[in-house]
Every structure is written in structure tokens, then in C-alpha cells.
Amino acid sequence: MQPPIQNILILVISLFVFVQHADSQTIDIGEAVGTGGDAMLIAVESSDAGLLDLAQRAFNIHGGYKLTTKDRAAFVLGIERASGPSVTLTIGSGKTYVEQLRKTVRGSDMQNAALRACDLAVKATLGIDGFFAGKLAFVGKQRGISEIYTSSILFTGVRALTADRSLVTGPSWSPDGSRLLYTTYYKTGFPDIYMMDLRSNQKRPVATFKGLNTGARFSPDGNRIAMSLSGTGNSEIYVSDLQGRNLKRLTSNRSLEASPSWSPDARRLVFTSDAPGKPQLYEISVNGGPSQKIPTNVSSYCSEPAWNPVNSDLIAFTAAVAGGFQIAVYDFKTRKSTILTSGASSVEPAWTNDGRHLVFTERRNGRTRLMLLDTKSKKVSALHNPNFGDASSASFVY
């Protein structure tokens, strides 16, 4: 049972977050009160049952919060319907409830408006970006057929984007969320890279070279693509333009290179190479030159790297641990790795936009499921009901 809020060690965080009122005035949330633990105690209120359920589901998966009653909360968040696809967000604090923020938030629909309001509340209270209004792309398998799907982070609005009826892997969002790269065995029966434009629902080939064409990832500015191609024999790392042309080969050796991921400044790539005999992480400049092994020193098998979009010192990856696989993070500053998950095998990490949470694939009893991991508290939350079917290989965009 939680002790009363007045008996909890209080941490005062100066945020100075200024938010525009509808009347163009500004207000200052000057002293945001935390609980002194890993999670901030908040209460969520709404006269609309649907909005209340949605907001509570959102904050329940965020590692920075714990829902409680109004009398014990550091902040009380109110979300109410407004005109059109918009909601009114209020944030208050104190035992006598002093309103500190009131903001009308619009969205593409009512649900999107509510999730954007929740993201605004995260920014105001924790000082970091919220991820609730973001989108997932993933491989979904239903009745034995795998296709690329998209949904909200709360697994609402799920819809299939492809109808290839063949093996598909590795979806990757463009930074603006308008396009997807993925690998499909569609047509040729071999792995080819395609790009789908969600505005026109048209897809076109990007890399259909002889051999393996996999692991395509947009650069942070959306103007280039990194990928792994094996047309010359071993799989090597390449960078191209958006048409898959003007290829620049970055690696050239007898080992296998795969799974490139861009640094936030788009100057470097981290990738997997089996040069040491088993997969390990390497980095290389996108301008070419020698690659350097990253001293993860945590496992003889490290793969599927994902560079943190906010903190360039952090790289998430999959590590073989005790007969299974777990999610780990390497820190360039400390030159150390930390295993973040345990239990069922956990693979395929993908960062959310806040640089704090990871979406990953859990493998349990022959099934796969998408999970959310808070890298700070190590809290893990399921993103969907197993009744959906198998889901894996997620990509996130906000």
C-alpha cells in the first residue's frame, strides 16, 4: 500500500515549461512535484468513459508514472471533449487543487487528440517528449499469413498495409511517417526491399539485386537509405538515395554484415558483423573508412542494434544470455552494457521518440508479442492481447 503523498520524499524539479493558452497567454509550470521514486504519482479524470480509459491505458504503460487517487497524486490531469476533434487538457496540483495548465489540443480524430493531450502532459510534468500519439509498423501473423501492419502504440486502429501473402520482415518508418521500407519475398521468392507510400498506398522496389536485400533503414533526415546487400557474395553495408541508386559500399570483407542503424546526426552507422566468429556490434562512418568494434563485453552474440534517437551515447541491441536472448543497452560514455530484460526471450529493440522507452518482441511458448520497456525503471508492458496473433519486428514513428 502506498504511503500518503506527504510522507514520500518530495523531489522538486524545475521545468519552466511554458504552454500557450487558447487566448495566447502563457502559464508557467514552475515546480513539478515528483514522488522521489521511479514513478510520478498522477490521477486522471474525465467525464467521458472512453477518454478516461484511453488516457489511463496510456499512462499505465509509461515507466515514469503510476496512477493513484486524486488525494495522493502529485498532479491531477483532466481530459474533456471539446469542439470537433479536440479535447481540453487541464493539469492541477496541490491538496486544494490549483490549476496550472489549461490547453485545447486538436488531433486527426478524438482519440489522437486525447493522446496528444497526454503527450503534452508528459512534457509538462516530466520535461520529456511523450510517445502516446506515435505509430507502430510491425509484422503481424494471422492464420499463418504474415503481412505488414500499422497501429497506434496502444494497438488501436490496427490495419494491414500489405497483401503480399509471402514472408515479410523488417518494416522501417520514414521520419515523417509517410513511407515504409520493408523486405518481402513477394514476386521473386527472394528477399527484396520495397518502399510503400502510405499517402498513395503504392509500393515500389528499392533493392532487388541478386542475393539478399535486407535491413533497410531511413536516415534521420529521410533522404538516404542504409541496407545490407549480398549481391557481391557476403552481405555488406550500403547507403543509397531514396530510389535505391547511387549506392555507396561501406564495408568489404569476408564476414557477414547486417542490420544497420543510423546515429542521430546521420554521420555514423552501427551494424552487426560476424567478423569475430559470432555476431558483434561495429560502427562506421557513412563516408566510409575502417569500421570499429563496439566493446559491448556482455555476450558472445550481439545483434539487431538500434541507435538512441535522443542520446547518441546509447545503443540498444539483442544479446544472447543464458540460452535465450535479452534486450541490452550499451553506453559509449561508460563503455559498459546493461541487460534490461529477463525471462522470456526478448529481441528486436526499437526506440520510441523519447529516447527512454523501447518496443521489442517477446518470444514465449512459440508465440511472439510486442512489448514496451522503460529503460530507466525496467518496467515491461504488453502492447496487445495475444488473441491478435503473432506480432514482431516493430518500428516506431511519432
Side-chain angles (χ1 to χ4, degrees):
M1 184 174 181
Q2 288 285 345
I5 187 67
Q6 62 266 30
N7 293 334
I8 299 174
L9 176 62
I10 301 299
L11 173 64
V12 178
I13 309 169
S14 296
L15 292 180
F16 299 108
V17 179
F18 294 89
V19 185
Q20 289 289 340
H21 260 302
D23 60 4
S24 299
Q25 295 179 346
T26 60
I27 61 175
D28 174 16
I29 299 182
E31 293 183 342
V33 182
T35 66
D38 290 332
M40 176 179 288
L41 296 178
I42 63 167
V44 180
E45 297 183 332
S46 178
S47 61
D48 186 296
L51 293 182
L52 179 62
D53 177 70
L54 185 71
Q56 289 180 333
R57 286 176 56 200
F59 284 107
N60 263 325
I61 66 172
H62 196 296
Y65 296 96
K66 185 173 183 178
L67 292 174
T68 186
T69 56
K70 183 175 181 178
D71 61 318
R72 297 160 65 189
F75 287 107
V76 178
L77 313 181
I79 300 178
E80 299 293 346
R81 287 178 177 265
S83 60
S86 61
V87 300
T88 298
L89 169 70
T90 56
I91 301 179
S93 62
K95 284 192 172 183
T96 58
Y97 186 82
V98 177
E99 184 177 296
Q100 301 211 44
L101 179 150
R102 177 176 291 268
K103 172 75 174 179
T104 299
V105 182
R106 294 187 62 84
S108 57
D109 53 38
M110 186 59 66
Q111 175 176 289
N112 181 255
L115 293 178
R116 288 187 178 278
C118 292
D119 288 335
L120 178 60
V122 173
K123 188 72 171 180
T125 56
L126 289 185
I128 61 176
D129 289 335
F131 59 82
F132 302 136
K135 297 186 295 183
L136 294 176
F138 59 93
V139 176
K141 187 175 183 180
Q142 295 185 326
R143 295 177 293 279
I145 299 175
S146 296
E147 300 291 354
I148 303 296
Y149 287 76
T150 186
S151 75
S152 74
I153 190 72
L154 297 179
F155 232 69
T156 59
V158 179
R159 69 185 182 100
L161 296 181
T162 63
D164 292 358
R165 299 184 69 84
S166 64
L167 182 62
V168 290
T169 63
S172 176
W173 286 108
S174 63
D176 65 358
S178 67
R179 292 162 294 177
L180 271 173
L181 291 166
Y182 68 103
T183 293
T184 178
Y185 286 66
Y186 170 75
K187 284 191 175 180
T188 66
F190 294 95
D192 296 323
I193 296 171
Y194 274 70
M195 182 187 296
M196 173 173 285
D197 189 324
L198 274 67
R199 296 163 298 191
S200 63
N201 289 323
Q202 298 295 312
K203 63 182 180 182
R204 62 175 177 82
V206 171
T208 57
F209 303 105
K210 180 182 178 181
L212 306 177
N213 307 277
T214 63
R217 295 291 183 268
F218 284 99
S219 61
D221 62 7
N223 293 327
R224 290 173 291 174
I225 299 171
M227 66 190 90
S228 176
L229 307 176
S230 70
T232 58
N234 295 329
S235 294
E236 306 286 359
I237 303 299
Y238 289 78
V239 171
S240 76
D241 60 22
L242 294 182
Q243 285 69 46
R245 302 169 187 154
N246 298 316
L247 284 168
K248 182 179 180 62
R249 182 173 175 172
L250 299 183
T251 61
S252 182
N253 49 56
R254 295 181 179 179
S255 56
L256 301 177
E257 278 73 44
S259 306
S261 176
W262 295 83
S263 63
D265 63 7
R267 295 180 178 179
R268 294 177 291 166
L269 291 169
V270 61
F271 61 94
T272 302
S273 174
D274 68 355
K278 291 184 178 180
Q280 289 294 316
L281 306 188
Y282 284 75
E283 64 170 315
I284 193 170
S285 168
V286 296
N287 295 320
S291 60
Q292 294 182 328
K293 184 175 180 293
I294 297 174
T296 53
N297 298 326
V298 72
S299 171
S300 61
Y301 188 110
C302 300
S303 64
E304 301 173 334
W307 217 314
N308 189 299
V310 177
N311 185 349
S312 61
D313 286 326
L314 303 180
I315 292 175
F317 61 98
T318 300
V321 179
F325 296 96
Q326 301 299 336
I327 303 300
V329 168
Y330 176 77
D331 189 328
F332 279 103
K333 279 189 175 180
T334 63
R335 296 176 69 84
K336 293 182 179 179
S337 300
T338 303
I339 303 294
L340 298 178
T341 56
S342 60
S345 280
S346 303
V347 299
E348 301 174 332
W351 292 100
T352 59
N353 60 303
D354 65 353
R356 172 171 171 163
H357 291 79
L358 286 162
V359 181
F360 69 93
T361 302
E362 178 190 79
R363 295 175 179 170
R364 186 187 296 270
N365 300 324
R367 303 295 302 274
T368 62
R369 189 178 185 184
L370 295 181
M371 312 291 284
L372 185 74
L373 166 67
D374 175 20
T375 60
K376 185 175 179 180
S377 68
K378 297 186 180 180
K379 176 182 178 180
V380 174
S381 305
L383 293 180
H384 61 96
N385 191 302
N387 292 338
F388 167 82
D390 288 337
S392 61
S393 196
S395 176
F396 176 91
V397 70
Y398 191 89

